[in-house]
Amino acid sequence: MALIAAIALLLDAAIGWPAAIYARIGHPVTWLGRLIATLDGALNRGRGRRWKGALAALLVVAAALVPAALLQLWLGPWVAAVLAWPLVAARSLDDHVQAVARPLAAGDLPAARAATAMIVGRDVTQADEAALARASLESLAENASDGVIAPLFWAAIGGLPGIAAYKAINTLDSMIGHRTPRHEAFGAFAARLDDVANLIPARLTALLFVAVAGRGAGHAARCAWEDASAHRSPNAGWPEAAMAGTLGVRLSGPRLYADRVADEPWLNGAARDPGAGDLARGLGLYRRGVLLFGALLVVLAAI
């Protein structure tokens, strides 16, 4: 199974998901998104929303897992690896964060704000350099886990069915796993399922960041261990705190959304605010961490 994960990562790093393919057939996550939206519209009403949401989540996971299992059984691991390729987002994440880093380094705040708004949900219309760098670093750390390490981890555990099921769970959480009046009950099962699916990968991502942190490894490990639990998410705090400790900056903290101010605690709160240079350093940390995990997958595949 590690072979499937390693090949999927290699293909994603080399070519990503080409725009021409996306224009013609879309992307597996968008297919899942349409199914989730359909079930949300059909079932998220009336009484019993909590169990209806659980049913919807199980249907979506089954819709991803069962065809993936049959395809791997019929076509073998090599074809399964190719089919797993679009479910890894290593190159896409790098590209999106670079789109913030370049204008931020050039002092072009309007362009940096527009690029940051593509990867975070908070209001960045008035954000300064520090706020933009902080938001982008948090997104980079969290999505390194959710979009790269977790899919590869589940591919290494369960092959194509493992990564397909994980992407279904993660897409469910992103679409309905919110504490809003509409989705607090309907999305509760999906949110908890995502927490469980990311329990190991989030901590593994933090460990990878620590492993490639160099001289900052000790502080990164202490920061992850001491501050991760302060985060609103049971998982996202681990890679974010490890990145904050490695770079010597503070992350999380208060942030502005369209309808409210979220007064979140700081991670590595005694440190300084990040800047444009720290975003470039964060990208370097991310790339080294993914490279290390890719090497580990290759070793496991060889064994």
Side-chain angles (χ1 to χ4, degrees):
M1 300 301 182
L3 177 65
I4 291 175
I7 293 173
L9 175 60
L10 179 62
L11 288 171
D12 176 72
I15 58 179
W17 188 242
I21 297 179
Y22 182 84
R24 183 173 294 274
I25 65 170
H27 187 276
V29 170
T30 65
W31 307 341
L32 289 167
R34 285 195 291 270
L35 175 59
I36 294 166
T38 299
L39 292 171
D40 186 20
L43 298 178
N44 191 5
R45 61 181 69 181
R47 297 180 177 180
R49 293 193 185 197
R50 192 171 294 272
W51 74 260
K52 289 178 182 178
L55 174 63
L58 293 174
L59 287 173
V60 171
V61 172
L65 189 153
V66 172
L70 293 174
L71 286 169
Q72 182 168 305
L73 180 65
W74 292 338
L75 302 176
W78 292 98
V79 176
V82 175
L83 294 175
W85 148 45
L87 302 178
V88 183
R91 188 184 182 104
S92 174
L93 178 57
D94 194 287
D95 289 345
H96 278 88
V97 177
Q98 279 197 71
V100 180
R102 286 191 295 266
L104 198 62
D108 187 351
L109 289 183
R113 288 173 184 142
T116 305
M118 299 294 291
I119 59 174
V120 300
R122 70 193 70 172
D123 184 355
V124 294
T125 54
Q126 302 299 320
D128 59 11
E129 178 184 328
L132 292 170
R134 185 167 66 245
S136 298
L137 283 169
E138 291 165 13
S139 180
L140 176 62
E142 182 176 1
N143 285 292
S145 175
D146 291 2
V148 184
I149 302 303
L152 292 172
F153 172 83
W154 287 110
I157 296 294
L160 183 61
I163 191 173
Y166 172 78
K167 291 304 289 188
I169 292 167
N170 191 239
T171 307
L172 279 160
D173 181 64
S174 68
M175 292 184 65
I176 65 172
H178 308 294
R179 290 183 176 176
T180 61
R182 175 170 177 79
H183 289 121
E184 184 161 11
F186 188 76
F189 182 82
R192 299 293 80 77
L193 195 59
D194 185 74
D195 288 343
V196 173
N198 283 295
L199 190 69
I200 296 174
R203 289 150 182 79
L204 175 59
T205 305
L207 184 60
L208 290 167
F209 286 165
V210 170
V212 299
R215 288 181 295 177
H219 183 63
R222 285 193 300 274
C223 189
W225 183 257
E226 294 172 0
D227 289 1
S229 61
H231 199 280
R232 67 191 183 282
S233 164
N235 295 316
W238 287 89
E240 287 186 28
M243 180 167 283
T246 301
L247 301 181
V249 300
R250 63 178 184 171
L251 296 177
S252 194
R255 74 279 307 280
L256 177 65
Y257 292 93
D259 59 344
R260 62 188 172 89
V261 175
D263 189 18
E264 303 288 347
W266 291 102
L267 303 177
N268 199 28
R272 59 179 174 82
D273 283 322
D278 297 305
L279 190 49
R281 292 171 59 218
L283 275 167
L285 180 70
Y286 160 72
R287 291 165 185 161
R288 295 194 302 274
V290 173
L291 183 62
L292 174 59
F293 193 53
L296 292 173
L297 290 172
V298 171
V299 171
L300 288 173
I303 293 174

